[in-house]
Amino acid sequence: MTTTLTVGTLARTLGVSEKAVRLWTDRGLLDATRTGEGAPRAYGPEQVVRGRTITLLRALDVSLADVATVLDSADPVAEFDELWGAVRASLEGRLAAAGYVRSVLAGQPALDVPHEVRDVPARLLLTLGGSATLGELAGLIPALTNRLFVALTETGATLAGVPSVQYHERATEHSAARLTVRVPVAAPCAPPPGMALVAEEAGREIVVVLDQDRAADQSFIVAVHDHVALAAGDGSLAVVGDNRESYLPTWGRGLGGPVLEISAPVVPR
């Protein structure tokens, strides 16, 4: 006869609350049976092993959705390694951002990230503005970019570089920031309603290039934007315009290497 466990017994065995066991069951992480309608849930002994694994993963702040992905994977070890690698990269970004905040508090801003100063040729930009909070940016930027690409097709204009976003303010979770998405075009075109064609003069910019792991960490991105806005803190340059983000063709494709450039126009002091 197979011994089964009640919700309470399983909860005590795992060292968690009965509410947690019920939640994990409702989410499909644990498997329970009932002997009839209205009968209490019963768990087989194999659910203890699974429950202990869930407890360990939750102790690492792994979300329930990610717990399910790991446990139900054909190769849970590989799935966990991929998940934890992303967490580790995020932690490294937060540690770097925290170090930058400390340097700012000490009055000596310093961020351990390479930068370069480069010449930027004159160019024509088809632009479209919008505004978004920090949480809305991930949806708004692709939407505006897609509208610009549709406009390129409709007007017969030729794309002449990578898209970029110009931030006129800094977005927060509760405060929307004005921004402009820009795509360079090879020749003048008639912009559709709501868009504008802007001629940007040649100049220089300070640039920080990031890989996908660093670009995925919001706290590190904020630190880089601040770092760039100070012209990398060396005192020889002055920023004369809004910060920009340029999305390279490798963005979001998991190919490694540079995916994002954060820049600002500069002139010598």
Side-chain angles (χ1 to χ4, degrees):
M1 179 178 178
T2 302
T3 302
T4 59
L5 294 82
T6 64
V7 169
T9 301
L10 181 57
R12 288 191 296 273
T13 301
L14 299 178
V16 299
S17 67
E18 293 184 16
K19 180 179 178 181
V21 170
R22 293 191 180 95
L23 175 62
W24 297 350
T25 306
D26 292 340
R27 294 289 294 269
L29 298 175
L30 291 173
D31 186 28
T33 60
R34 296 180 188 271
T35 57
E37 186 176 351
R41 290 165 167 165
Y43 299 86
E46 75 284 352
Q47 296 303 300
V48 174
V49 176
R50 189 172 173 92
R52 282 176 173 154
T53 307
I54 296 170
T55 302
L56 291 171
L57 288 167
R58 291 294 290 146
L60 293 174
D61 288 330
V62 177
S63 70
L64 291 180
D66 285 335
V67 168
T69 299
V70 170
L71 294 183
D72 296 335
S73 171
D75 188 344
V77 173
E79 195 68 41
F80 175 77
D81 286 345
E82 182 176 350
L83 172 69
W84 194 246
V87 172
R88 183 179 299 157
S90 175
L91 178 59
E92 290 172 355
R94 288 180 63 81
L95 288 173
Y100 180 70
V101 171
R102 188 178 188 281
S103 72
V104 170
L105 293 172
Q108 298 177 319
L111 185 63
D112 185 19
V113 60
H115 67 270
E116 61 178 302
V117 178
R118 65 188 179 193
D119 294 325
V120 181
R123 54 187 176 176
L124 287 172
L125 299 163
L126 184 64
T127 67
L128 178 60
S131 64
T133 63
L134 190 60
E136 296 168 339
L137 287 177
L140 179 67
I141 292 173
L144 296 182
T145 304
N146 287 336
R147 287 177 59 187
L148 287 168
F149 283 160
V150 170
L152 291 181
T153 301
E154 292 176 346
T155 60
T158 301
L159 183 67
V162 299
S164 63
V165 181
Q166 184 175 15
Y167 291 94
H168 309 297
E169 293 136 358
R170 183 167 294 174
T172 70
E173 290 291 351
H174 307 291
S175 177
R178 293 177 301 115
L179 58 90
T180 301
V181 180
R182 305 133 32 107
V183 293
V185 294
C189 63
M195 300 182 186
L197 188 66
V198 177
E200 186 175 73
E201 296 181 354
R204 306 191 82 198
E205 64 181 8
I206 186 166
V207 185
V208 171
V209 182
L210 302 179
D211 61 20
Q212 190 68 60
D213 286 342
R214 285 289 177 91
D217 187 86
Q218 187 58 47
S219 62
F220 187 71
I221 289 289
V222 171
V224 173
H225 270 285
D226 193 79
H227 184 59
V228 167
L230 295 175
D234 63 9
S236 63
L237 300 169
V239 173
V240 291
D242 297 325
N243 280 21
R244 302 136 181 202
E245 290 180 357
S246 298
Y247 299 90
L248 306 182
T250 49
W251 173 266
R253 296 189 178 183
L255 301 177
V259 300
L260 176 67
E261 296 179 348
I262 298 177
S263 62
V266 294
V267 295
R269 286 190 183 275

